[in-house]
Amino acid sequence: MLKIALPKGRIAEQTLQTFASIFKEDFSFSDRKLRLIKGDFEFLMVRNQDIDTYVIEGAADLGVVGLDVLLEHNSDVLRLLDLKFGHCKVCIGIKKGTNLDFNKPELKVATSLPNITRAYFNARAVPVKIITLYGSIELAPLVGLADCIVDIVETGSTMKQNGLEPAQVIMQSSAFLIANKLSFVSKKDEILNIYHKLANK
């Protein structure tokens, strides 16, 4: 049996729909259930930021997770396939009508992605103070906590509703199929079967 970790929400729904289409049967979680056993598969519903941990530690053989998470965590997994859904961007957001001043002695940046943020500004030799937040990040520039934010943007509506606007795109992200390295050896045929079905859907 292959164990597959899925993030809660939109990507999980798209993944299950994809499995339903390639296996011609229904894949869906019952209300509030965190595990779904279906034939040769066991799907685990996991917090997005924890997917790679489940896969790295062998609690799941495969996972579906955004590229942004893999880069933020520098995850030691096999990236098998870009699934071409779950598209989003990691953007710098600023107060509407302002400009991002790269010449300040130090930019204060609020984000839940400190590693991606640090790498981006370091590559441009811009000194930054990173303020790590895990919710309501859009508030930070509005109350003077930070000069800007770095956040995941799908449509940009959350930023706009809170008086911010995207200033720069740091990276594009989409959902990837990832594998535990040992599982890829011990369950190679089963994993490659899934890989080929997903790649050719």
Side-chain angles (χ1 to χ4, degrees):
M1 180 173 285
L2 281 177
K3 290 186 179 181
I4 305 172
L6 303 181
K8 297 176 181 179
R10 187 173 51 88
I11 292 179
E13 291 170 13
Q14 288 177 292
T15 305
L16 291 171
Q17 286 168 8
T18 300
F19 269 78
S21 70
I22 62 179
F23 287 98
K24 310 297 185 209
E25 56 180 299
D26 179 56
F27 288 83
S28 58
F29 280 83
S30 301
D31 188 41
R32 298 185 183 277
K33 289 283 181 71
L34 299 176
R35 298 169 74 195
L36 166 66
I37 296 174
K38 187 88 172 174
D40 295 327
F41 305 107
E42 180 177 359
F43 294 96
L44 311 173
M45 194 67 79
V46 178
R47 183 173 170 266
N48 187 47
Q49 298 293 323
D50 297 333
I51 296 285
D52 57 340
T53 300
Y54 273 72
V55 174
I56 290 165
E57 297 297 329
D61 304 300
L62 297 172
V64 175
V65 67
L67 180 60
D68 54 295
V69 173
L70 298 178
L71 294 182
E72 177 63 26
H73 295 171
N74 191 24
S75 307
D76 187 22
V77 295
L78 294 175
R79 286 187 216 165
L80 297 182
L81 183 65
D82 182 350
L83 294 168
K84 310 290 188 190
F85 60 71
H87 294 284
C88 61
K89 296 176 281 195
V90 176
C91 291
I92 300 172
I94 57 174
K95 281 171 73 173
K96 193 169 183 179
T98 64
N99 293 310
L100 192 60
D101 184 3
F102 284 107
N103 295 316
K104 289 185 75 168
E106 183 180 65
L107 267 180
K108 290 195 294 182
V109 186
T111 186
S112 62
L113 303 165
N115 294 326
I116 288 174
T117 301
R118 188 175 292 108
Y120 177 83
F121 285 104
N122 283 352
R124 286 151 184 79
V126 176
V128 291
K129 177 182 180 181
I130 293 175
I131 301 164
T132 304
L133 300 175
Y134 294 104
S136 305
I137 293 170
E138 292 83 7
L139 272 177
L142 304 178
V143 298
L145 179 60
D147 299 304
C148 62
I149 66 172
V150 169
D151 202 10
I152 294 167
V153 174
E154 289 180 27
T155 64
S157 60
T158 304
M159 276 195 188
K160 287 176 187 173
Q161 287 169 6
N162 288 284
L164 304 182
E165 60 187 5
Q168 215 153 324
V169 175
I170 289 179
M171 64 169 286
Q172 304 278 349
S173 181
S174 57
F176 271 70
L177 180 70
I178 61 172
N180 173 278
K181 290 181 175 180
L182 292 177
S183 294
F184 189 73
V185 175
S186 63
K187 300 180 179 181
K188 190 169 187 177
D189 289 343
E190 298 99 307
I191 289 173
L192 286 178
N193 179 45
I194 294 295
Y195 168 86
H196 288 304
K197 284 181 182 295
L198 291 172
N200 296 316
K201 68 174 178 55

